[in-house]
């Protein structure tokens, strides 16, 4: 089991550099839909984008910066890679189902990922919360999306 974990860590490190390109290829190739999201980092970015957009109105520079900062800090992405993932998440949310449904489905992917443990689940909650507070006190819609994730993840509020 430890060997599988180490092998997965090496695979993740290799794939981190290729994630933005592989995401772009997958979507340029005509594949789309939430069911095709298989990388938890991509799912997390889309979830953060949904929380940001739940405030109403267009995405602000501050919200975009907070999402990028969270991606760089937690995923060890460069600034360019983070910006590319933010742009991708914005594009996906334009084509995604309703925010509540998107959060439910992606939350299930995060919670069900065999390589993510309790720390990563809690870290994502903190990331989503940071995005919800980017422009001040979170709105009811933002809090509702946070609650969807917390319910799926079994986190107490």
């Amino acid at each position: 089991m430890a060997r599988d974990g180490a092998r997965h860590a090496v695979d993740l490190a290799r794939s981190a550099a290729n994630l933005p390109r592989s995401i772009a290829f997958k979507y340029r190739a005509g594949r789309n839909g939430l069911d095709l999201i298989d990388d938890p980092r991509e799912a997390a970015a889309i979830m953060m984008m949904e929380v940001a957009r739940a405030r109403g109105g267009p995405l602000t520079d501050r919200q975009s910066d907070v999402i990028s900062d969270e991606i760089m800090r937690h995923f060890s992405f460069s600034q360019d890679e983070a910006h590319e993932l933010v742009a991708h998440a914005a594009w996906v949310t334009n084509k995604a189902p309703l925010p509540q449904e998107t959060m439910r489905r992606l939350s299930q992917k995060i919670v069900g990922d065999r390589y993510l443990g309790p720390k990563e689940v809690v870290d994502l909650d903190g990331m989503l919360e940071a995005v919800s507070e980017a422009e001040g006190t979170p709105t009811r819609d933002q809090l509702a999306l946070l609650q969807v994730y917390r319910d799926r993840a079994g986190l107490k509020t």
Side-chain angles (χ1 to χ4, degrees):
M1 196 157 92
R3 187 175 10 181
D4 287 342
R7 191 174 312 139
H8 181 69
V10 169
D11 290 343
L12 275 178
R14 284 185 192 137
S15 70
N18 293 327
L19 179 65
R21 284 183 288 287
S22 68
I23 289 170
F25 174 77
K26 179 170 50 175
Y27 286 90
R28 276 191 218 115
R31 296 175 62 195
N32 56 30
L34 296 180
D35 293 332
L36 297 176
I37 295 169
D38 55 5
D39 190 303
R41 297 167 296 186
E42 180 183 7
I46 294 166
M47 293 168 72
M48 286 188 283
M49 186 62 67
E50 288 289 9
V51 168
R53 288 189 167 180
R55 185 164 198 83
L59 184 71
T60 67
D61 288 340
R62 177 74 183 132
Q63 289 170 318
S64 180
D65 289 345
V66 169
I67 294 171
S68 292
D69 290 346
E70 293 294 324
I71 289 170
M72 287 185 293
R73 189 173 71 186
H74 290 279
F75 305 157
S76 300
F77 276 25
S78 70
Q79 188 172 16
D80 289 341
E81 291 168 334
H83 289 305
E84 193 172 324
L85 187 53
V86 170
H88 170 72
W91 183 83
V92 170
T93 57
N94 285 334
K95 309 274 186 206
L98 294 174
Q100 294 273 346
E101 177 63 19
T102 298
M103 288 297 283
R104 270 192 292 281
R105 290 171 62 185
L106 294 180
S107 295
Q108 194 57 45
K109 286 183 183 283
I110 296 291
V111 172
D113 190 295
R114 70 183 201 164
Y115 296 108
L116 298 179
K119 179 190 180 317
E120 290 82 11
V121 170
V122 171
D123 284 351
L124 179 55
D125 182 61
M127 295 166 73
L128 295 171
E129 190 171 327
V131 172
S132 74
E133 295 171 348
E135 292 293 341
T137 304
T139 66
R140 288 179 200 224
D141 290 338
Q142 287 177 309
L143 292 173
L145 291 181
L146 286 171
Q147 195 60 50
V148 168
Y149 175 69
R150 289 172 176 165
D151 288 347
R152 293 283 174 165
L155 300 173
K156 301 281 185 201
T157 54

